[in-house]
Amino acid sequence: MEPTKKSYIKASFWDRVFAAIIDQTIVSVCGQILAFVFMAIFYFLNIKSANSYLFLTGILLGIGYNVGFIYKKGATIGKMALKIKVVTDGYAAPSLKTVFLRETVGKWISNLGFGLGSLWVLKDKHRQAWHDKIAHTYVVKVNETHTLIPGEDAPVAKKAHVLFGIFVFGAVVQFLLVVAVLAFLFVASPYRIMDQVMAPAIPADASIVINKISYRFSSPKRGDVILFRSPA
């Protein structure tokens, strides 16, 4: 008979949320300081396109902060404050490769679809986000001596499933709004004809939809009705 694998209590969704808020605040403050320093350097060096450098610096700062702290300490400052840490699915300290995979590719995939992968913690029996599953990691609770706390996780509560559903609904609404805005800007837009300039083909006060994408792939043809922007 094989011995039962020992289990340790996992961090809750809200533990992770509050830890992420602390970490994001720290990274944002450090990013603002670095941005001020770089802007001063770019000004003296007369570098015009500074925004792309600042954007890249912000991304690298966030990745470096998470990878560095988790690899060295097992937890970021926010996670340490909430008494949680990252371990492998065998409850060992993660390697640099594992941490880097988790904090780059893993979190990029988790954040697709308005963070659905991060919200997955709410309904997962092992309290894993998608980036945890990709890197084979857990986020567990620790005590005052930073020791893992043995125990079994409680079953996922019904209210957690409801909360997950609410978050997913919100994410779907956001996605549809983004699609609608992009479609309005680049695919088609509604217009109302206010006078008789196109009569009798199109009467006054008629509503029409302008196709914005056709002429990207073909040329105008005889009989097409084309809307021009006013040069004024």
Side-chain angles (χ1 to χ4, degrees):
M1 180 177 179
E2 293 184 3
T4 303
K5 183 179 179 181
K6 195 167 186 178
S7 181
Y8 296 88
I9 297 176
K10 313 300 185 303
S12 70
F13 172 76
W14 294 111
D15 287 333
R16 297 173 69 147
V17 167
F18 291 128
I21 291 172
I22 294 172
D23 290 329
Q24 188 57 51
T25 301
I26 293 170
V27 172
S28 296
V29 170
C30 293
Q32 291 296 323
I33 295 172
L34 279 177
F36 178 80
V37 172
F38 284 142
M39 288 297 289
I41 294 172
F42 292 154
Y43 175 79
F44 286 111
L45 294 178
N46 197 29
I47 298 176
K48 303 297 183 182
S49 57
N51 289 338
S52 57
Y53 292 103
L54 294 176
F55 178 73
L56 180 60
T57 300
I59 292 176
L60 294 177
L61 176 64
I63 293 174
Y65 170 85
N66 286 300
V67 170
F69 270 100
I70 292 174
Y71 176 61
K72 288 294 186 181
K73 301 289 186 180
T76 57
I77 294 173
K79 285 181 171 62
M80 286 187 269
L82 271 294
K83 293 185 172 60
I84 60 178
K85 70 185 295 185
V86 179
V87 295
T88 66
D89 54 9
Y91 300 103
S95 66
L96 179 59
K97 179 182 177 181
T98 296
V99 175
F100 188 78
L101 174 64
R102 182 182 191 272
E103 298 301 319
T104 53
V105 176
K107 284 197 172 177
W108 181 78
I109 292 174
S110 269
N111 289 324
L112 290 177
F114 299 92
L116 178 61
S118 296
L119 295 173
W120 200 260
V121 175
L122 280 166
K123 69 184 297 295
D124 189 79
K125 66 178 182 179
H126 296 302
R127 310 300 191 267
Q128 286 179 298
W130 288 356
H131 48 276
D132 291 310
K133 293 184 178 297
I134 290 170
H136 301 287
T137 57
Y138 293 139
V139 179
V140 296
K141 288 180 172 290
V142 296
N143 58 24
E144 290 74 10
T145 61
H146 304 288
T147 304
L148 278 60
I149 303 173
E152 295 292 334
D153 294 304
V156 178
K158 183 178 180 180
K159 63 181 181 181
H161 285 287
V162 173
L163 186 59
F164 177 78
I166 293 171
F167 281 139
V168 170
F169 176 77
V172 170
V173 170
Q174 291 181 64
F175 174 75
L176 293 176
L177 285 174
V178 170
V179 171
V181 170
L182 292 176
F184 178 81
L185 292 174
F186 302 108
V187 179
S189 300
Y191 285 89
R192 183 177 293 275
I193 305 300
M194 303 303 295
D195 49 37
Q196 297 286 345
V197 294
M198 301 185 71
I202 302 178
D205 206 38
S207 296
I208 61 173
V209 175
I210 301 299
N211 183 342
K212 296 181 176 181
I213 201 169
S214 292
Y215 293 151
R216 296 180 183 274
F217 306 101
S218 62
S219 301
K221 300 177 180 63
R222 182 181 294 275
D224 287 356
V225 178
I226 303 173
L227 178 71
F228 293 92
R229 292 187 182 275
S230 173

